[in-house]
């Protein structure tokens, strides 16, 4: 299959591009490299050293004989995007190319505007490019479980059957996003659903949980193929921050009470879910939603898991509760449905001690790269 992976230089996009290439697909990476520039802006970095995109794809070809084409440019530049479509004629468009950090979107007005402009307008350009140049192309769009928020009822997969005043209907599940970033994903979902309805586009919205893990079979083939490991208070997930804090002898800093519960999945399952969606495309005119996660944990549970693995490695981190910089429910009901991908063949990789040990090992090997002042939050919702 001819597949474009937009955002193919990023944490999820890079291992996805390698995995799909390894399965025999003709993969093209489209990326504006802004994530690397944001590291410079935030005076941060990946704990693991990452090679340039050019060197990455060259090493991949050297190791496997498989070529991954690359285009460096922005989805918000429509002439560029249409030229990529003309040259590649994609059958599937995997869309990771969005600003993905909730804290980044909450820094100030400028960052909120950038996040929504970049994400919403870029996605709208993709929809028009598919309509005008590749109407049978299947859009595989990375959404987020954060679109739903933390409702006091079960979270269904995209839609909810309701009865009101004696009448029944199946409607999009109500959205309660928690940041300007999450709001951008909600706007994306609405635009995609509308485009499917009026133009007959086929699309799968993957509402992904928080991704953990570092390695896939492909990224472990050579150090030049290594994936990034974010740890700072802007792009680092709670789990990553805890692991890096343990590696450098810092307390594991839990925001608030630590009862916040979120959905999670392994990076190996991310790449597999993309493959499943590509191999089982939506029907023409269909907007379907898959909840892409395998487990859910509270922040306290994550801290305790990291503390246990760290102590087994001879470290002695303490768990410390700090003021929550976010506006969010800290103790709440959380139960979400995730059957569609499993029904199509997903066999989950779960959050085991072995997985945590692997990330901790990478953190310890590169702990001199950690910028210690970045492991605490510096952005507030208030």
């Amino acid at each position: 299959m001819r597949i474009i992976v937009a955002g193919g230089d990023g944490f999820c996009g890079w291992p996805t591009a390698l995995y799909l290439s390894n399965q025999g697909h003709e993969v093209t990476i489209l990326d504006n490299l802004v994530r690397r520039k944001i590291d410079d802006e935030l005076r941060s970095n990946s704990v693991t050293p990452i090679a340039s995109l050019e060197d990455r794809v060259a090493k991949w070809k050297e190791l496997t004989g498989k070529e991954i084409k690359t285009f460096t440019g922005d989805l918000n530049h429509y002439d560029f995007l249409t030229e990529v479509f003309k040259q590649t004629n994609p059958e599937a468009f995997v869309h990771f190319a969005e600003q993905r950090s909730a804290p980044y979107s909450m820094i100030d007005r400028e960052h909120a505007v950038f996040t929504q402009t970049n994400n919403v307008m870029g996605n709208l350009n993709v929809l028009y490019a598919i309509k005008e140049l590749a109407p049978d192309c299947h859009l595989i769009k990375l959404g987020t479980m954060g679109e739903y928020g933390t409702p006091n009822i079960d979270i269904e997969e995209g839609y909810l059957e309701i009865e009101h005043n004696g009448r029944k209907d199946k409607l999009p599940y109500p959205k309660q996003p928690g940041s300007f970033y999450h709001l951008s994903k909600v706007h994306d979902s609405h635009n995609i659903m509308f485009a499917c309805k009026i133009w007959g586009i086929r699309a799968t919205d993957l509402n992904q949980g928080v991704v953990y893990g570092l390695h896939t079979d492909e990224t472990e083939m050579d150090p030049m193929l290594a994936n990034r490991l974010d740890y700072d208070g802007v792009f680092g997930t709670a789990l990553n921050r805890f692991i890096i804090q343990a590696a450098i002898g810092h307390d594991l800093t839990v925001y608030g009470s630590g009862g916040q519960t979120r959905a999670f999945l392994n990076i190996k399952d991310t790449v597999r879910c993309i493959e499943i969606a590509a191999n089982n495309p939506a029907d023409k005119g269909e907007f379907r939603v898959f909840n892409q996660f395998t487990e859910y944990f509270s922040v306290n549970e994550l801290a305790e898991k990291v503390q246990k693995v760290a102590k087994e490695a001879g470290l002695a981190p303490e768990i410390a509760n700090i003021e929550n910089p976010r506006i969010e429910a800290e103790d709440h009901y959380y139960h979400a449905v995730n059957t569609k991908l499993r029904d199509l063949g997903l066999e989950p990789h779960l959050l085991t001690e072995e997985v945590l040990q692997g990330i901790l090992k990478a953190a310890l090997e590169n702990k001199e790269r950690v910028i210690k002042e970045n492991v605490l939050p510096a952005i507030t919702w208030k």
Side-chain angles (χ1 to χ4, degrees), residues 3-14:
I3 303 178
I4 291 176
V5 180
D9 186 48
F11 170 67
C12 289
W14 173 243

Side-chain angles (χ1 to χ4, degrees), residues 45-191:
N45 61 338
S46 166
V47 175
T48 49
I50 53 172
S52 68
L53 179 57
E54 182 182 24
D55 288 343
R56 282 173 148 186
V57 296
K59 176 58 70 172
W60 178 249
K61 185 175 181 180
E62 175 189 324
L63 292 171
T64 67
K66 300 176 187 295
E67 181 177 6
I68 295 177
K69 297 177 184 176
T70 62
F71 290 86
T72 302
D74 200 307
L75 297 184
N76 281 283
H77 300 156
Y78 192 62
D79 289 346
F80 163 76
L81 179 60
T82 55
E83 186 59 33
V84 174
F85 265 74
K86 290 172 183 176
Q87 291 193 32
T88 60
N89 189 25
E91 295 166 277
F93 189 100
V94 180
H95 189 3
F96 288 113
E98 298 200 338
Q99 193 294 99
R100 63 176 175 84
S101 165
Y104 189 82
S105 76
M106 302 299 292
I107 292 175
D108 54 23
R109 181 203 61 81
E110 180 183 357
H111 288 80
V113 170
F114 167 76
T115 297
Q116 296 221 349
T117 301
N118 179 80
N119 294 2
V120 179
M121 297 303 102
N123 182 70
L124 194 57
N125 277 339
V126 171
L127 291 171
Y128 267 94
I130 291 173
K131 170 184 180 283
E132 294 174 355
L133 297 167
D136 288 326
C137 178
H138 177 207
L139 174 59
I140 303 170
K141 170 66 168 59
L142 191 74
T144 169
M145 290 295 293
E147 291 187 31
Y148 299 121
T150 53
N152 199 38
I153 58 173
D154 290 358
I155 298 171
E156 304 297 333
E157 296 200 71
Y159 296 90
L160 181 67
E161 291 189 10
I162 66 168
E163 181 174 348
H164 180 65
N165 290 342
R167 302 185 68 83
K168 295 181 180 180
D169 204 349
K170 185 177 182 181
L171 300 172
Y173 195 96
K175 307 295 179 69
Q176 300 181 66
S179 72
F180 286 122
Y181 155 72
H182 291 102
L183 274 160
S184 76
K185 293 289 194 176
V186 172
H187 303 330
D188 286 340
S189 295
H190 290 158
N191 283 342

Side-chain angles (χ1 to χ4, degrees), residues 180-211:
F180 286 122
Y181 155 72
H182 291 102
L183 274 160
S184 76
K185 293 289 194 176
V186 172
H187 303 330
D188 286 340
S189 295
H190 290 158
N191 283 342
I192 298 169
M193 181 169 60
F194 182 67
C196 289
K197 178 181 178 180
I198 61 173
W199 296 332
I201 287 174
R202 61 183 83 226
T204 301
D205 205 7
L206 296 173
N207 282 339
Q208 182 170 253
V210 180
V211 182

Side-chain angles (χ1 to χ4, degrees), residues 100-341:
R100 63 176 175 84
S101 165
Y104 189 82
S105 76
M106 302 299 292
I107 292 175
D108 54 23
R109 181 203 61 81
E110 180 183 357
H111 288 80
V113 170
F114 167 76
T115 297
Q116 296 221 349
T117 301
N118 179 80
N119 294 2
V120 179
M121 297 303 102
N123 182 70
L124 194 57
N125 277 339
V126 171
L127 291 171
Y128 267 94
I130 291 173
K131 170 184 180 283
E132 294 174 355
L133 297 167
D136 288 326
C137 178
H138 177 207
L139 174 59
I140 303 170
K141 170 66 168 59
L142 191 74
T144 169
M145 290 295 293
E147 291 187 31
Y148 299 121
T150 53
N152 199 38
I153 58 173
D154 290 358
I155 298 171
E156 304 297 333
E157 296 200 71
Y159 296 90
L160 181 67
E161 291 189 10
I162 66 168
E163 181 174 348
H164 180 65
N165 290 342
R167 302 185 68 83
K168 295 181 180 180
D169 204 349
K170 185 177 182 181
L171 300 172
Y173 195 96
K175 307 295 179 69
Q176 300 181 66
S179 72
F180 286 122
Y181 155 72
H182 291 102
L183 274 160
S184 76
K185 293 289 194 176
V186 172
H187 303 330
D188 286 340
S189 295
H190 290 158
N191 283 342
I192 298 169
M193 181 169 60
F194 182 67
C196 289
K197 178 181 178 180
I198 61 173
W199 296 332
I201 287 174
R202 61 183 83 226
T204 301
D205 205 7
L206 296 173
N207 282 339
Q208 182 170 253
V210 180
V211 182
Y212 64 84
L214 179 59
H215 307 296
T216 63
D217 293 343
E218 289 78 19
T219 64
E220 287 191 296
M221 290 171 63
D222 189 276
M224 191 76 76
L225 304 179
N227 204 12
R228 66 179 298 127
L229 177 56
D230 294 309
Y231 64 94
D232 58 50
V234 183
F235 278 87
T237 64
L239 183 63
N240 281 1
R241 287 190 299 101
F242 293 158
I243 291 171
I244 271 62
Q245 287 173 334
I248 64 173
H250 196 287
D251 287 346
L252 312 187
T253 51
V254 171
Y255 293 176
S257 69
Q260 306 93 315
T261 300
R262 300 291 184 267
F264 290 81
L265 81 162
N266 193 300
I267 186 65
K268 292 182 178 181
D269 291 337
T270 290
V271 302
R272 174 65 179 135
C273 289
I274 298 297
E275 180 188 34
I276 289 172
N279 289 342
N280 301 273
D283 293 332
K284 202 156 180 63
E286 180 185 11
F287 174 69
R288 65 182 184 181
V289 180
F290 294 167
N291 287 347
Q292 184 174 303
F293 73 94
T294 55
E295 305 172 272
Y296 33 85
F297 302 103
S298 71
V299 176
N300 283 329
E301 288 172 327
L302 295 178
E304 290 163 4
K305 286 177 179 292
V306 171
Q307 184 183 51
K308 181 175 186 294
V309 168
K311 287 185 174 179
E312 290 171 355
L315 305 170
E318 297 296 327
I319 296 174
N321 296 79
I322 65 173
E323 183 181 357
N324 192 346
R326 306 185 180 203
I327 304 297
E328 62 183 356
E330 294 182 3
D331 295 283
H332 56 85
Y333 177 79
Y334 195 87
H335 186 272
V337 175
N338 63 335
T339 59
K340 292 181 181 178
L341 284 161

